Amino acid sequence: AQLVPARARRRFQRGLKRKCMALVKKLRLAKKDVPIGDKPPHVKTHLRNMIIVPEMIGSVVAIYNGKVFNAVEIKGEMVGHYLGEFSITYKPVTHGKPGIGATHSSRFIPLK
């Protein structure tokens, strides 16, 4: 029984890169001096392609989505997933009323 998919296993087999190791080290430091039961301070990162490892559980990571940093608390069921999966990069479309110029009838509505 494998814990993570083949892509993640391949990535770990090829070795963790310097940036990924730096993030893990920062998470260790953030978790070190925190009393039991409290959340550690968040660690900001742009590494959306980092695979979540068991050592990161309980940490709070602020993941950049291209505009802002979204704080995410790492839980056990997130292991093997990428950080980017938990920080959406686009605003989901909300289908509401049409705007000006969306229909032919909107030609007859005065703008002001």
Side-chain angles (χ1 to χ4, degrees), residues 9-52:
R9 287 198 307 272
R10 176 178 164 78
R11 180 114 177 254
F12 291 131
Q13 193 174 10
R14 294 176 67 84
L16 281 175
K17 303 290 185 258
R18 178 180 227 128
K19 286 183 179 180
C20 294
M21 289 307 296
L23 175 63
V24 171
K25 195 181 282 187
K26 280 182 185 175
L27 290 171
R28 268 190 220 130
L29 277 171
K31 254 194 333 195
K32 194 167 74 169
D33 300 326
V34 176
I36 296 168
D38 286 355
K39 289 183 185 177
H42 67 266
V43 176
K44 289 183 174 185
T45 184
H46 282 239
L47 296 176
R48 297 175 57 83
N49 63 348
M50 172 76 182
I51 297 168
I52 296 172

Side-chain angles (χ1 to χ4, degrees), residues 49-82:
N49 63 348
M50 172 76 182
I51 297 168
I52 296 172
V53 292
E55 188 181 351
M56 296 166 74
I57 295 173
S59 300
V60 180
V61 184
I63 308 160
Y64 194 63
N65 69 356
K67 186 176 181 182
V68 293
F69 288 92
N70 294 328
V72 176
E73 186 180 358
I74 307 296
K75 298 196 167 55
E77 52 267 19
M78 294 179 177
V79 172
H81 289 269
Y82 290 91

